């Protein structure tokens, strides 16, 4: 987009808070912007959009877009989420857009939860969302060792106004019927969008714990409790149905393979060291498995993560070096 085309864009900035006790869900304030701020924001969005492009096989820079999943950890693609697939999410987005139209003003700046920058062209709007509040000025904080000043005329005076920061890396934007996600936490925080992760996690855990390798001695409740920690929820939620089918079908074969690996530890110190390093991702599994009876024996004193990596097929073997690693 040329500078002239960029200048012709309509741009509006909103500070938004959550109305958690109201069916409206959001309250937004439309901000008046100086021309310099407006120009900066347009240039910033153009620059940041270019920054999230990556070269394809012909070295052309393009947007790499893939469907949203429950565990976004890569930084080289944009995750697309179709709004229509989730009625609850669609309702929240509609309420957010409606709050921008209504332009309420009955909340303090420091109550701001996030910003929305609306860019419009040819009757179509894109909404860039930054999960960022208003910075409280140092002079208003309960305790501070430094104060901020600004030059006013010939003297320095206290900077006693709160600060609104605009720009920076694009976290998420809404265009048409899709949300494009760069930072999944912005999606989750803006729309309290975690139920889908919890539901899918719970469904997968229920499926796994009903498999034949769990029994009364597997400490199922403790396993589920450990696996329910939010930091692990994404990985569990992402486990695909085909992986779950293969998991039960191949569990005994994988146990046999683990037995062979353990039995083949070399005697020599150097060989043993190299061997253990090669299979280092596998050793923690032995704490949780009964390889003789092909059962899970969850050890509550050890990390559940290796077991979850095993269930989700995230322990892989390198083709080149034949070394196992968590992926």
């Amino acid at each position: 987009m040329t500078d002239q085309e960029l200048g012709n864009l309509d741009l509006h900035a909103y500070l938004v808070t959550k109305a958690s006790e109201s069916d409206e869900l959001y309250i937004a304030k439309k901000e008046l912007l100086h021309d310099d701020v407006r120009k900066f924001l347009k240039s910033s969005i153009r620059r940041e959009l270019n920054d999230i492009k990556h070269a394809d096989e012909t070295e052309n820079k393009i947007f790499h877009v893939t469907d949203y999943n429950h565990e976004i950890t890569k930084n080289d693609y944009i995750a697309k989420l179709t709004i229509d697939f989730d009625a609850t999410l669609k309702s929240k987005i509609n309420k957010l857009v409606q709050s921008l139209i209504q332009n309420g003003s009955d909340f303090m700046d420091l109550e701001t939860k996030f910003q929305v920058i609306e860019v419009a062209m040819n009757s179509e709007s894109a909404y860039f969302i930054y999960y960022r509040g208003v910075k409280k000025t140092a002079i208003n904080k309960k305790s501070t060792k430094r104060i901020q000043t600004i030059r006013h005329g010939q003297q320095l005076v206290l900077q006693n106004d709160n600060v609104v920061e605009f720009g920076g890396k694009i976290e998420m934007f809404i265009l048409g019927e899709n949300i494009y996600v760069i930072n999944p936490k912005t999606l989750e925080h803006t729309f309290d969008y975690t139920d889908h992760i919890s539901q899918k996690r719970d469904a997968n855990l229920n499926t796994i714990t009903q498999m034949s390798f769990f029994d009364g001695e597997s400490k199922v409740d403790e396993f589920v409790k450990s696996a329910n920690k939010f930091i692990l929820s994404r990985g569990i939620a992402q486990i695909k149905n085909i992986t779950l089918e293969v998991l039960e079908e191949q569990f005994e074969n994988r146990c046999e393979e683990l037995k062979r690996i353990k039995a083949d530890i070399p005697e020599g110190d150097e060989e043993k060291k190299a061997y253990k390093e090669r299979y280092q991702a596998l050793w923690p599994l032995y704490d949780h498995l009964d390889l003789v009876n092909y059962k899970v024996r969850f050890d509550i004193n050890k990390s559940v993560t290796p077991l979850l990596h095993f269930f989700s097929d995230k322990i892989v073997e390198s083709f080149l070096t034949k070394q196992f690693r968590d992926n």
Side-chain angles (χ1 to χ4, degrees), residues 97-115:
V97 173
Q98 188 61 36
S99 76
L100 306 182
I101 297 171
Q102 292 174 345
N103 186 27
S105 60
D106 54 345
F107 69 92
M108 304 293 290
D109 283 350
L110 290 176
E111 296 176 47
T112 299
K113 297 298 183 184
F114 59 94
Q115 305 168 3

Side-chain angles (χ1 to χ4, degrees), residues 128-285:
F128 293 85
I129 296 175
Y130 303 82
Y131 207 82
R132 181 186 307 148
V134 173
K135 283 192 172 183
K136 187 177 182 180
T137 184
I139 200 67
N140 290 330
K141 294 178 181 178
K142 290 182 179 180
S143 62
T144 180
K145 294 182 179 180
R146 294 181 292 179
I147 59 172
Q148 295 174 333
T149 66
I150 57 175
R151 187 172 298 282
H152 183 71
Q154 299 300 313
Q155 60 182 341
L156 295 175
V157 299
L158 288 175
Q159 197 297 103
N160 54 11
D161 294 321
N162 297 320
V163 176
V164 182
E165 287 187 347
F166 288 118
K169 291 186 179 298
I170 291 172
E171 301 169 18
M172 178 176 74
F173 59 94
I174 301 170
L175 179 62
E177 297 302 314
N178 297 307
I179 306 177
Y180 296 89
V181 183
I182 294 90
N183 184 346
K185 292 188 180 300
T186 299
L187 172 68
E188 294 164 12
H189 294 328
T190 302
F191 299 113
D192 298 319
Y193 189 65
T194 57
D195 288 348
H196 68 302
I197 295 176
S198 300
Q199 291 166 5
K200 183 63 175 173
R201 175 203 64 200
D202 292 345
N204 283 348
L205 282 176
N206 183 65
T207 298
I208 291 170
T209 54
Q210 295 299 314
M211 291 182 179
S212 58
F213 47 79
F214 274 91
D215 62 16
E217 298 179 39
S218 296
K219 298 178 182 170
V220 173
D221 291 343
E222 289 87 348
F223 166 74
V224 171
K225 183 178 179 181
S226 295
N228 269 334
K229 294 176 181 177
F230 185 74
I231 194 170
L232 301 172
S233 295
R234 291 176 183 276
I236 303 168
Q238 193 194 17
I239 301 176
K240 296 179 175 61
N241 291 335
I242 189 170
T243 302
L244 294 176
E245 293 170 6
V246 173
L247 171 61
E248 185 161 32
E249 179 183 319
Q250 295 293 325
F251 186 81
E252 291 189 10
N253 289 336
R254 297 290 75 76
C255 285
E256 285 297 321
E257 190 172 5
L258 286 169
K259 278 197 286 187
R260 288 196 297 271
I261 290 172
K262 191 172 184 179
D264 290 343
I265 296 177
E267 294 293 333
D269 292 341
E270 290 299 321
E271 293 84 354
K272 180 185 292 187
K273 180 180 178 182
Y275 190 85
K276 287 191 172 182
E277 287 179 354
R278 174 182 173 184
Y279 294 108
Q280 61 181 336
L282 298 179
W283 303 125
L285 281 174

